[in-house]
Amino acid sequence: MALNMKALLAMILVFVGCCSNVVFLELIIKIDPGAGNLITFSQFVFIALEGLIFTSKFFTVKPKIAFKDYVMLVVLFFGANVCNNYAFNFNIPMPLHMIFRSGSLMANMIMGIILLKKRYNLRQYSSVAMITAGIILCTLVSSGDVKDNTHPTLKVDTSFSDFFWWSVGIALLTIALLVTAYMGIYQEVIYKRYGKHPNEALFYTHMLPLPGFLIMASNIAQHWSIAVSSEAVAVALPVPGVSWTLSFPLMLFYLLCNVVTQYICISSVYVLTTECASLTVTLVVTLRKFVSLLFSIIYFRNPFTLSHWLGTILVFFGTVLFANVLNQLWAAYQLRRKAESQAVEYSRI
């Protein structure tokens, strides 16, 4: 029962943590679309500090995985995260960003075929074709309504069109998708060699890349100043007999919430993968992405046409088809019915 409760709590936290993380990300992007590097840096610092205290115990715990094997993993992880968050700086709307990142199965299959010489069945090829078609459709539709979303204080005159910069954003998302797929294959190799140590990997993949942010120091500083100078919000402190109010920049509040919910999201998905079957994980993560997309469209009023919906359905249904969810659910249902009927027969004896 404890195991079931742990899995149930993980499912709830995946929805609460991951969905709210996307909400706070979009709130930040609405204020400053170019804050991707600042967001990535803040997330890495928070998770690295948490790992330093609770996982590494200030480097007193010897790592199970060799340092040299972390180097490639760190480069891939750092590159993928920077590309994903920095893409917002190039006129990429949030719904398209979410749909594009849902194409991980497509990227995994491409990498599996090229690097591991894997072969897939017709159902898997068909599902990936659906996912690809859905992403291409949403991308083509979005290309017809590209707007410059640069923060007013950072606008510069350029000879390149908004569409060109949008294309750069699409290229960044494509690179991130392929790099993440390759990283997944590399992780499998490391885990086969050393065993699974996800907490340790989480710490080192966030701690070791921190010096890499020095390259982006001026960009991070620019957007930090925008965050600090954003609209201030006042919160009354509940101190009896005293009227105290705390005032702080709204964007910094969103950034703090984004960082905390990112940690909750990552930790919950990890627990889910250790406590549940891959079918359950696929269903929960896919449904979570769909809920986040719906919230982004409805609450933030992001433009979403009939073609966008068609592309979205292709992506999510393709994901469900690839994981063979419907057949597995039907088999589980049949197995349960058989067990119930056997129990009834035994009770009659």
Side-chain angles (χ1 to χ4, degrees), residues 196-234:
K196 290 187 177 183
H197 306 285
N199 285 339
E200 177 188 303
L202 187 67
F203 166 59
Y204 282 103
T205 52
H206 284 80
M207 185 274 293
L208 292 175
L210 288 178
F213 285 101
L214 289 172
I215 303 169
M216 311 162 198
S218 61
N219 179 273
I220 292 170
Q222 272 185 331
H223 293 283
W224 173 261
S225 66
I226 291 172
V228 171
S229 60
S230 62
E231 177 191 354
V233 289

Side-chain angles (χ1 to χ4, degrees), residues 37-51 74 76-82 85 202-211 213 259 262 266:
N37 289 332
L38 174 62
I39 295 167
T40 309
F41 176 68
S42 302
Q43 292 173 348
F44 272 56
V45 168
F46 182 86
I47 294 174
L49 284 174
E50 188 276 339
V74 163
L76 294 171
F77 185 73
F78 177 72
N81 275 273
V82 169
N85 284 338
L202 187 67
F203 166 59
Y204 282 103
T205 52
H206 284 80
M207 185 274 293
L208 292 175
L210 288 178
F213 285 101
V259 166
Q262 171 75 0
I266 291 176

